[in-house]
Amino acid sequence: MTGDYHLDRVVREARLRASADRRYQHELRRHARASRHRQGSGGARPALASDTGTGPHSNPTTLEPSMFTALAEDFTLACGQVLRNRFVKAAMSEQLADRRGQATPVLEDLYRRWARGGAALLITGNAMVDGTQLSEPYNLVAERASSLEGLSALAAAAHDGEARIWLQLNHPGRQSSRVVSSRPVAPSAVPMGMLPAMFAQPRVLDESQIRDIIHRFARSARLAADAGFDGVQVHAAHGYLLNQFLSPFTNRRTDRWGGSLSNRSRLLLEVIEAIQQIAPAGFVVGVKLNSADFQRGGFSEEESMTVVSYLEAAGIDLLEVSGGTYEAPAMLSTKPASTREREAYFFDYVSAVRSTTRLPVMLTGGLRTPAAMEAVVTSGTVDLVGLARPLTLVPDLPRRVLSGEAQIAVPTPPVPKGTLQLLSETPWYVHQMRRLGQGREPQPVGRLRALAQDARRNLGWRLTRTAFRRGRTRTGLENSLSVPRQGRPRSSSPPEHSRSIDS
Ligand SMILES: Cc1cc2nc3c(=O)[nH]c(=O)nc-3n(C[C@H](O)[C@H](O)[C@H](O)COP(=O)(O)O)c2cc1C
């Protein structure tokens, strides 16, 4: 699909300007070296190209350190919430909650670090609306009033750094591995087509279970609002439950939740409506949607565009565009840069959807260079730039770009082939997030080592979770699983209304 704006052209133009700026920066450095030398020797100031009419001030197409003007602009959402610039930390499942799904101090510190890194908005990794249905071990769970203390601390950590924070809400459906779920649920009994030993056969949801899930999304959103979050993002992408309902490949139902696109969209739209009913004024409801599933018989671009029109009519505040599922992980395209056509994987779709909707659009996936980030915003196609993996390696990238650093190179870790790539991509970045939360720097650990660490943690999670379940009534066991926030006062009891939604 070709949009009105071609990213390649837009980026090429921005790169030309950036390369002129590089020459200028090079000259500045040369000038600084020369002036240091001059101070030592008392010589004359060397001429800069700008002195001779060839520097950036003489050329209207060059960019100066303040070249990222579009990224620096604030952005106001329809509900009135203001984002101070165009950078968003996209959702990444941090897997840093405790075994009961409560936020930990390491998770808070990670968000404090990202907030200070300059992004206007931090969207958390997917928080589960049902503690028995996780996408991975150590997921955050937003289910009970007992989560309020941790969630409040997490929101406060982001606000300390003057960032907005939204909680991403998710239900994994059939994309829940045997490590965390032996009884996943789904719209239809379609088993996972990849690594079948890893995933159990899903159970088909009945009407009352579907209603319960809608209620759970609303309850989790209410918890987020009570905890001080600025909004929620409903995860309807990447092959999880809401995406499974949208897709004709995974949704084979013949009742009012399946069949036509409007029936397949019903769950997503009812979830949004239920959240809007409990949302306080100014509380944002965003949606992450696939541009396509990239699977034969799956959710297509045409269908996605129609769903965007439903979402606009439903009055959501922000659309984030991504794509792919576990079985076709387009969102984590790991092709080497040399063979990847362009930085922003879903730019063409966004270009096309832009002409059909007035919804603000955030684009996530593949953006790596400041020039391309600026270009997608300048083109008018994208309102907000979503960054995930780059912020695990350069957590202060937004602040550095906005202060004029054009040459930030986001390291691209070597990508293994086949199953190792599929299995290790997430653990490798989870490892980096853990290090950041512990106050350490990212580390280029080997893929196998990241996988081994992941397996060890998963095993630990399973063993303790089983012990926890069996020994619920044992004195002291629950406490031993809940590490208190050292030196941070425990909050007082949760507000009355949040207790009532816990029932
Ligand atoms: C470790 C890891 C965890 C992720 N977890 C989530 C998640 O919880 N929710 C979500 O919507 N996307 C998740 N993603 C996908 C990212 O939000 C993003 O769409 C993807 O990484 C592409 O963006 P990037 O090229 O900037 O990394 C995850 C990605 C990674 C690497």
Side-chain angles (χ1 to χ4, degrees):
M1 179 175 293
T2 310
D4 292 333
Y5 297 100
H6 294 276
L7 180 65
D8 290 345
R9 179 170 51 78
V10 177
V11 170
R12 216 171 25 246
E13 285 167 10
R15 285 217 172 103
L16 278 175
R17 285 177 279 160
S19 115
D21 185 63
R22 265 199 304 278
R23 287 197 299 277
Y24 177 55
Q25 299 288 346
H26 175 72
E27 278 192 46
L28 282 182
R29 280 197 295 276
R30 204 159 54 84
H31 172 54
R33 273 199 304 274
S35 65
R36 275 198 301 276
H37 176 72
R38 197 174 60 247
Q39 276 160 13
S41 65
R45 166 189 173 293
L48 277 174
S50 47
D51 294 338
T52 61
T54 57
H57 303 296
S58 64
N59 180 349
T61 63
T62 55
L63 295 180
E64 298 179 40
S66 58
M67 62 195 281
F68 302 109
T69 48
L71 288 167
E73 259 176 42
D74 59 17
F75 188 77
T76 307
L77 295 160
C79 65
Q81 192 170 116
V82 179
L83 304 178
R84 63 182 165 155
N85 60 51
R86 304 305 180 95
F87 282 109
V88 181
K89 198 266 326 156
M92 270 180 292
S93 184
E94 313 86 6
Q95 298 173 46
L96 290 174
D98 68 16
R99 290 169 178 86
R100 293 180 305 159
Q102 313 256 3
T104 58
V106 173
L107 187 64
E108 283 163 41
D109 287 343
L110 172 63
Y111 276 82
R112 192 166 287 108
R113 195 156 173 186
W114 270 330
R116 290 183 185 145
L121 170 64
L122 310 178
I123 302 179
T124 67
N126 58 175
M128 300 298 126
V129 298
D130 180 344
T132 68
Q133 301 289 314
L134 305 185
S135 63
E136 299 102 8
Y138 303 102
N139 277 151
L140 202 53
V141 178
E143 194 182 17
R144 299 180 192 287
S146 54
S147 311
L148 264 180
E149 181 186 353
L151 290 174
S152 304
L154 189 56
H159 292 155
D160 279 353
E162 291 176 16
R164 299 270 186 191
I165 182 164
W166 300 356
L167 190 70
Q168 188 187 60
L169 301 180
N170 192 22
H171 188 304
R174 69 184 196 133
Q175 283 190 171
S176 182
S177 82
R178 283 183 195 274
V179 175
V180 284
S181 174
S182 54
R183 309 213 64 201
V185 294
S188 306
V190 180
M192 291 289 287
M194 59 172 284
L195 305 169
M198 268 183 71
F199 297 91
Q201 172 77 17
R203 287 174 295 145
V204 179
L205 286 163
D206 66 24
E207 178 79 23
S208 72
Q209 290 167 325
I210 293 175
R211 297 241 72 89
D212 176 61
I213 287 171
I214 296 169
H215 174 69
R216 282 174 177 280
F217 270 94
R219 185 169 65 177
S220 301
R222 184 58 196 252
L223 275 175
D226 289 343
F229 281 78
D230 303 291
V232 289
Q233 184 187 56
V234 176
H235 197 351
H238 300 171
Y240 293 111
L241 185 73
L242 297 178
N243 190 176
Q244 287 159 34
F245 268 84
L246 288 172
S247 160
F249 177 71
T250 42
N251 183 348
R252 317 254 172 107
R253 302 177 75 100
T254 51
D255 59 5
R256 66 199 200 95
W257 305 99
S260 66
L261 181 59
S262 63
N263 276 358
R264 281 182 274 128
S265 307
R266 191 183 304 280
L267 178 58
L268 172 59
L269 297 174
E270 291 210 7
V271 162
I272 291 165
E273 194 187 340
I275 294 175
Q276 285 167 336
Q277 277 170 8
I278 58 84
F283 186 78
V284 169
V285 184
V287 172
K288 185 161 182 170
L289 184 73
N290 268 1
S291 54
D293 289 352
F294 298 94
Q295 269 182 299
R296 194 181 302 246
F299 185 58
S300 66
E301 282 198 1
E302 289 67 29
E303 288 188 324
S304 174
M305 293 214 185
T306 308
V307 172
V308 170
S309 69
Y310 298 164
L311 294 175
E312 185 170 6
I316 67 160
D317 296 279
L318 179 72
L319 172 73
E320 180 186 353
V321 172
S322 189
T325 66
Y326 276 20
E327 289 158 314
M331 65 290 195
L332 293 177
S333 169
T334 46
K335 288 182 195 158
S338 53
T339 61
R340 209 188 295 131
E341 271 178 31
R342 55 179 52 147
E343 282 193 49
Y345 311 146
F346 309 111
F347 186 80
D348 284 349
Y349 168 88
V350 170
S351 302
V353 94
R354 186 62 159 190
S355 58
T356 70
T357 182
R358 294 160 66 95
L359 277 176
V361 176
M362 164 177 165
L363 176 64
T364 304
L367 286 159
R368 294 295 178 270
T369 60
M373 295 168 201
E374 173 78 6
V376 294
V377 179
T378 313
S379 70
T381 311
V382 169
D383 299 298
L384 298 168
V385 164
L387 299 176
R389 288 166 292 179
L391 295 189
T392 69
L393 300 173
V394 189
D396 58 351
L397 186 142
R399 188 172 50 74
R400 287 168 60 184
V401 170
L402 294 175
S403 61
E405 234 184 280
Q407 301 312 314
I408 298 177
V410 177
T412 23
V415 180
K417 288 206 172 79
T419 313
L420 181 58
Q421 181 253 307
L422 194 69
L423 293 176
S424 68
E425 186 70 3
T426 305
W428 197 89
Y429 287 97
V430 167
H431 175 82
Q432 309 304 343
M433 287 188 273
R434 194 163 54 245
R435 288 183 66 86
L436 293 180
Q438 291 165 338
R440 298 190 287 167
E441 294 311 308
Q443 180 196 46
V445 65
R447 291 273 171 164
L448 282 174
R449 198 168 137 207
L451 254 185
Q453 279 179 359
D454 188 54
R456 211 168 40 238
R457 288 186 84 222
N458 289 353
L459 184 65
W461 183 88
R462 250 209 103 103
L463 291 175
T464 336
R465 177 106 168 173
T466 311
F468 173 62
R469 283 207 172 126
R470 287 200 184 125
R472 271 195 94 88
T473 53
R474 265 187 252 157
T475 318
L477 181 57
E478 186 159 4
N479 281 343
S480 73
L481 295 175
S482 164
V483 183
R485 298 184 157 69
Q486 284 164 358
R488 296 167 220 224
R490 281 201 170 272
S491 64
S492 51
S493 28
E496 277 309 314
H497 56 275
S498 51
R499 267 195 221 133
S500 63
I501 56 169
D502 199 22
S503 55

